[in-house]
Amino acid sequence: MLDARFVRENPDIVRAAMRARVCEWDIDAFLALDVERRALIAEVEGLQAQRNESSKAIGALMKDGKSDEAHEAKESVRLLNDRIAELEEAMSKVDLRVRELLLTAPNLPDSGVPVGAGEEDNVEVRRWGTPPAFEFEAKAHWDLGPDLGIIDFERGVKLAKSRFVVLGRDGARLNRAIINLMLDTHGAAGYTEWALPALANSDTLTGTGQLPKFEEDLFKTGEGLYLIPTAEVQLTNLHRDEVLEADTLPRLYTAHTPCFREEAGSAGRDTRGMIRVHQFDKVELVKFSRPEESMDALEGMVSDAEKILQLLGLPYRTIILCTGDMGFGAAKTYDIEVWLPSYENYKEISSCSNCWDFQARRASIKYRSPGEFKGSRLVHTLNGSGLAVGRTLAAVLENYQRADGSVEIPEVLRPYMGGQSEIVAPE
């Protein structure tokens, strides 16, 4: 959530940022409400001053035996109290409208983010590895997996509905091996692992920005809880309404969870295979940082996500998202895209973002450093995929396939699969 004071004092900066983000947030409505709110505050404070003066006078009038005048003063105080109560109720309504409006405003982009309208304006910063050159007709994972008997799309539909997937045999084992590799690697890099609920309440999802704006993308239960779209939601809100000690920062957290997304409005986009499904596994990375250290923390998070792809020997590229393509809560985002032969192109497998204090303000996550400043300040929060497991599995299958239809298991995963070196079709 944006700082209301900053928006009030820098409307031109906010307008320019919203244009860069290709967003039509109504700053004029906010400014009008803000004027109304401050007028109400001024009137309340003026009436409170009058009430205090009248209350002081009552005692003096009673002492001087002027009971009639004291009675009139009491009536005046009563009327002032009634008016103050009316104004405070009106102010509460305005405060609620201001908050509701601020909750729909996206974050402001960092000055280093390229300005652009969409993904065509994203900027590539590096590539790693060389896409394989097959001497045979390579298969897409949505054909390769069923042929190997390890991915079953039809049973996913039977058990749930379209865009749910069943993994069997070596597919399930490979999925688990990838998860364990990620968790072990991130743990060795200093991330604390958490096991988290797959359901979250509305306060939790509001804290990280999924609510209220993106409710249609969430699966909701009859009890008002939501299936989490990412572990970022839970990891970040672990410290909602808390004040952390500065010497405990940065905090590095990781978790593997199932993730659930309605993917509203995405019909026709990557709906074949395992690229865009309703349920998928993901290992998430979250950091809590001091503001002055958060950009360095972002670079480190991107490196941590890239390391998994390097260990797996999967070619990838890293890009900076432009202002018009960034997520709602991000101030700066790097996307990591893995090479998928089926697309003859790179596809997103990780998105790492610095949200500055945007989420921390919504969730009230602060830190204190008594020797440095008084009170407390908002932390910066960062999140990233480390990585999306289903897309990683698809990339392994496609990049490591052989002419005979079998798939070589990357060496780094073999210890997690009992030394198994390949996946072959069942006889």
Side-chain angles (χ1 to χ4, degrees), residues 166-397:
V166 170
L167 299 177
R169 301 176 58 252
D170 288 338
R173 297 184 68 218
L174 180 61
N175 193 72
R176 178 161 49 89
I178 291 170
I179 293 168
N180 288 335
L181 170 67
M182 293 179 185
L183 290 174
D184 287 350
T185 302
H186 296 318
Y191 289 84
T192 300
E193 183 179 347
W194 294 81
L196 304 163
L199 291 168
N201 58 41
S202 60
D203 287 343
T204 298
L205 286 151
T206 300
T208 42
Q210 281 78 18
L211 290 178
K213 189 172 178 62
F214 301 104
E215 184 166 12
E216 67 172 4
D217 290 326
L218 303 171
F219 284 101
K220 187 176 182 179
T221 73
E223 297 180 351
L225 294 174
Y226 299 82
L227 290 166
I228 59 171
T230 167
E232 166 206 341
V233 171
Q234 304 291 39
L235 287 173
T236 304
N237 278 277
L238 285 172
H239 295 303
R240 187 172 76 241
D241 298 323
E242 293 183 15
V243 180
L244 308 176
E245 299 298 334
D247 60 8
T248 68
L249 299 175
R251 296 194 182 195
L252 283 61
Y253 292 166
T254 187
H256 156 246
T257 63
C259 303
F260 305 86
R261 299 183 185 180
E262 279 275 19
E263 297 285 6
S266 66
R269 293 180 56 207
D270 301 328
T271 54
R272 193 174 187 187
M274 297 180 65
I275 302 303
R276 192 177 293 273
V277 291
H278 290 307
Q279 178 183 339
F280 58 96
D281 289 304
K282 184 152 68 80
V283 172
E284 185 73 1
L285 306 175
V286 162
K287 292 185 179 181
F288 300 86
S289 169
R290 295 170 64 108
E292 64 272 18
E293 298 172 350
S294 67
M295 281 304 181
D296 287 340
L298 176 61
E299 299 296 329
M301 177 177 284
V302 174
S303 294
D304 292 334
E306 288 180 343
K307 183 176 181 179
I308 302 298
L309 293 171
Q310 293 171 10
L311 290 171
L312 291 169
L314 294 173
Y316 68 87
R317 69 172 187 165
T318 302
I319 62 176
I320 299 177
L321 298 192
C322 70
T323 53
D325 200 32
M326 285 197 307
F328 178 74
K332 183 176 183 180
T333 297
Y334 288 94
D335 269 10
I336 304 170
E337 299 179 340
V338 69
W339 177 261
L340 281 179
S342 57
Y343 288 85
E344 295 185 347
N345 206 342
Y346 294 92
K347 297 296 292 184
E348 178 197 338
I349 197 167
S350 174
S351 188
C352 298
S353 299
N354 185 351
C355 297
W356 286 348
D357 58 11
F358 185 83
Q359 293 178 326
R361 182 173 289 105
R362 297 169 76 106
S364 187
I365 308 171
K366 301 179 180 181
Y367 76 104
R368 59 181 161 227
S369 182
E372 183 181 2
F373 54 82
K374 294 181 180 180
S376 58
R377 297 179 181 176
L378 294 169
V379 301
H380 279 193
T381 63
L382 304 91
N383 63 78
S385 312
L387 304 161
V389 179
R391 295 189 180 194
T392 305
L393 186 148
V396 167
L397 294 179

Side-chain angles (χ1 to χ4, degrees), residues 3-68:
D3 180 6
R5 180 176 178 179
F6 181 89
V7 177
R8 178 194 313 131
E9 296 178 354
N10 302 276
D12 291 340
I13 292 176
V14 175
R15 283 193 179 93
M18 295 303 160
R19 285 196 299 271
R21 295 209 57 153
V22 196
C23 173
E24 297 181 357
W25 186 65
D26 196 347
I27 185 174
D28 291 329
F30 166 83
L31 293 173
L33 285 169
D34 189 64
V35 169
E36 182 180 352
R37 179 180 180 276
R38 283 185 289 151
L40 288 169
I41 291 173
E43 187 174 355
V44 167
E45 290 177 346
L47 293 177
Q48 287 173 335
Q50 291 182 38
R51 181 184 62 187
N52 292 340
E53 289 298 319
S54 296
S55 296
K56 291 178 183 177
I58 292 172
L61 290 170
M62 293 294 291
K63 185 176 181 180
D64 294 339
K66 300 177 180 179
S67 59
D68 289 343

